[in-house]
Amino acid sequence: MLLMMPKGNKSAVSQFLLLGFSSLEERQVLLFLVFSQVYMIILTSNIPFLAAISVDWSLHTPMYFLLFALSFSETCTTFAVIPKLLVNLLLGNQTISFLGCTAQMFCFFGFRATNCFLLSAMTYDRYMAIRKPLQYPVVITKRVCADLVTISRTTGFLIVLGISSLVFSLPFCGPNAIRHFFCDISLVLRLACSDRHIAEMAIVFLCAFVLLGPFMGIILSYIYILAAILKIHSTPGRCKTFSTCASHLTVVITHFDCAFFVCLIPKSTSPLDEDTFIALSYTFFSPMLNPVVYSLRNQEVKSALRKLTAHTFLSPKM
């Protein structure tokens, strides 16, 4: 089972050491202050964004329903890693329990895999809106959007369940130092004290499926979207149509760029290097990008946020 401790003749590892910032021991408090402030920005940008979409009826459309699901998933991703990171920095404690490492890996990569499929679903939404606008209201209904979100979450978490099971079914009996600030799949796998070749091959295949499947679907959809935009005769019309995809494209490029690096590029062995900085961007910057990009570029979201702010702070108190 996923959460069972490995058994065998050798003593099992009961906890791991997260050494991502061990070389910056004298700056632990400073890192805590910086990361906690960034985390507050993530929460204070995502929570009002989610609230605005929830309460404003003008945003109860398929596109914003999918955007809500993506932002919610991004926010949940941070809960899996950042609170533990902040506690470790503040207390100078680098340990995480075996079960905690298992849960962290499952939740973090589960939501990340979900996001890959959600971004693909959002591309399909844009494809139908631009390529087949007359069929869009019939095809992209609230029920279809709910099904797309359910399929994305179920598929993402089932695949990561398989990956986590492969990793933690192996025996861990010696080294327990993870040269990262969270339980990364490949780095935890290296600590197994048995032959891990088959598990590594299976995990690479599953990660490639999660990343390349949705990514290729997004590329194909945008080829058709671009072809449809080029058929529009007026330049203002082409620009206006393309602008509806610009925010989504920004999020897609950022997400998959970091995801390919974190999941498929082999990790180096130094305790603090570019792997850590890319992972920090993936953990902190990506969840903050959604509400910022869509709020800055979308008048409907801006209007909903203004109304939410006015209702919250300016409405008369009972």
Side-chain angles (χ1 to χ4, degrees):
M1 293 180 63
L2 176 63
L3 299 180
M4 288 181 65
M5 296 283 285
K7 296 180 180 180
N9 296 328
K10 301 177 182 180
S11 60
V13 169
S14 61
Q15 65 181 16
F16 295 97
L17 297 176
L18 299 174
L19 304 181
F21 298 102
S22 58
S23 63
L24 299 175
E25 186 174 355
E26 70 283 359
R27 299 178 182 175
Q28 300 280 301
V29 175
L30 176 61
L31 289 173
F32 168 81
L33 293 175
V34 172
F35 291 157
S36 60
Q37 289 299 311
V38 176
Y39 192 37
M40 287 302 299
I41 294 173
I42 292 173
L43 296 179
T44 55
S45 58
N46 275 279
I47 292 175
F49 183 71
L50 293 170
I53 295 177
S54 298
V55 302
D56 195 310
W57 285 98
S58 66
L59 300 182
H60 289 190
T61 62
M63 182 181 75
Y64 291 111
F65 181 84
L66 294 172
L67 183 57
F68 179 93
L70 179 66
S71 186
F72 177 80
S73 182
E74 288 278 20
T75 305
C76 290
T77 302
T78 66
F79 296 150
V81 173
I82 298 179
K84 178 61 178 174
L85 170 61
L86 294 176
V87 169
N88 286 359
L89 288 173
L90 183 63
L91 301 180
N93 178 19
Q94 299 172 336
T95 63
I96 184 171
S97 68
F98 186 92
L99 294 180
C101 188
T102 307
Q104 186 182 76
M105 182 184 295
F106 175 70
C107 292
F108 179 78
F109 287 101
F111 281 114
R112 283 302 182 194
T114 297
N115 295 345
C116 291
F117 293 109
L118 284 175
L119 286 169
S120 182
M122 292 174 70
T123 308
Y124 176 66
D125 172 79
R126 292 298 84 207
Y127 163 80
M128 290 299 301
I130 295 172
R131 184 86 176 180
K132 302 178 179 180
L134 296 179
Q135 299 178 30
Y136 178 79
V138 178
V139 176
I140 307 297
T141 62
K142 290 183 179 180
R143 176 60 184 272
V144 169
C145 288
D147 290 342
L148 288 173
V149 172
T150 301
I151 292 170
S152 297
R153 287 177 180 165
T154 303
T155 305
F157 274 98
L158 281 178
I159 291 173
V160 175
L161 176 64
I163 291 174
S164 301
S165 298
L166 285 170
V167 172
F168 291 103
S169 63
L170 298 172
F172 294 86
C173 52
N176 68 339
I178 302 171
R179 295 187 177 276
H180 219 317
F181 61 86
F182 71 100
C183 291
D184 181 77
I185 295 170
S186 62
L187 296 181
V188 174
L189 192 60
R190 288 181 187 178
L191 301 178
C193 53
S194 67
D195 183 16
R196 56 181 186 266
H197 179 71
I198 295 177
E200 286 177 340
M201 294 295 292
I203 289 171
V204 168
F205 173 79
L206 291 172
C207 289
F209 173 78
V210 169
L211 293 174
L212 293 176
F215 186 71
M216 294 307 296
I218 290 171
I219 293 295
L220 183 62
S221 295
Y222 267 106
I223 290 174
Y224 285 109
I225 289 172
L226 183 60
I229 292 175
L230 292 176
K231 291 180 180 179
I232 300 174
H233 298 294
S234 66
T235 301
R238 285 197 296 267
C239 293
K240 182 178 179 181
T241 304
F242 183 77
S243 67
T244 64
C245 303
S247 300
H248 178 253
L249 267 176
T250 303
V251 175
V252 166
I253 292 170
T254 303
H255 175 85
F256 280 96
D257 185 43
C258 293
F260 277 117
F261 192 97
V262 170
C263 297
L264 294 181
I265 302 299
K267 306 295 187 299
S268 61
T269 56
S270 58
L272 186 63
D273 51 21
E274 63 180 0
D275 297 336
T276 303
F277 291 112
I278 294 294
L280 280 173
S281 299
Y282 196 45
T283 305
F284 283 91
F285 179 66
S286 182
M288 193 165 43
L289 187 65
N290 265 359
V292 171
V293 168
Y294 280 95
S295 298
L296 289 176
R297 296 187 58 88
N298 195 299
Q299 293 299 325
E300 291 177 313
V301 175
K302 286 182 182 179
S303 175
L305 286 171
R306 282 194 295 267
K307 287 190 287 185
L308 178 66
T309 303
H311 178 77
T312 301
F313 295 104
L314 300 180
S315 59
K317 302 293 187 294
M318 296 299 293

